[in-house]
Amino acid sequence: MQRGDRVLITGATSGLGREMAIQLARRGCRVAITGRRRDRLDEAASAARQAGASDVIALHGSVTDDAAVRAHAQAIRDAWGGVDVVILNAGVGDSVHGTAFSAENYRWTFDTNVLGACRWIEQVLPDMLARGSGVIAGISSPAGWRGFPGAGSYSASKAALTTLLESLRVDLRGSGVDVVTVCPGFIRSEITDRNDPKEMIQLLDTADGARRILRGIEQRRRVVHFPFPLTWIIRYVIRPMPGWLYDRLASRYLRRTKKPYVDASALTPPPGDRAA
């Protein structure tokens, strides 16, 4: 990605999204960012302008809102004619033990992590196909490679996103539109700030994580995963592990860490406070 390229980043009010916007701005890219928190969205847009973005579009609203996504996509088409790269970064996640199972928690998580990506793909893909060029990158997670203990809704949503992107990549082969699946390890963000630092192996700072992600997208790699050896072990050792063995080891891990049995309703935001 270079000067003048049109890049859309969803969920860019903080963490990875904000940092990627700033790093792209330093290259002189045109950057469109979305987010539900207006004050933070405006701050991120200002930071991108100061970093050197040739043009910044700040779009206030949630990826869970169909009308907002359609309006945002039209605003980008009106201003730029379309986008060259879309980074589907908006996401949410709670650690909820299975004994506190909540269908609402799953609905909230899928609406953002999966359907939020779908809404934007539906808007940007036709223009990319018409031009015969473009990149769609989705920020998924190694948590989607197996059912992580205490993270059912998050793991399930990331598994769905990873599979969605893989299927789309196959369908679009030869069209000029590339699909990149990004599965990073632990990167400092609002989500990881809620975790116990002792449990986050090889925690990366936000700037380093953003650089690695942008490099992988630039290279149009099928799957971007880092850091080594954490994601390598999950992808090539834990994922193909026999189910009976994984169940035993994951259950033992859960008992050892003594994850709390939390009430999912306390973690799921009310309708007016849904994620980006």
Side-chain angles (χ1 to χ4, degrees), residues 92-94 105 109 113 140-141 143-144 151-159 191:
V92 296
D94 289 329
N105 178 261
T109 305
N113 296 359
S140 190
S141 169
S153 61
Y154 185 73
S155 284
S157 70
K158 292 304 185 179
I191 291 180

Side-chain angles (χ1 to χ4, degrees), residues 94-103 105-106 147-155 250-251 254 259-265 267:
D94 289 329
S95 296
V96 181
H97 194 281
T99 55
F101 193 93
S102 163
N105 178 261
Y106 275 75
F148 275 26
S153 61
Y154 185 73
S155 284
S251 178
L254 196 62
K259 293 279 188 179
Y261 287 27
V262 298
D263 179 2
S265 64
L267 295 169

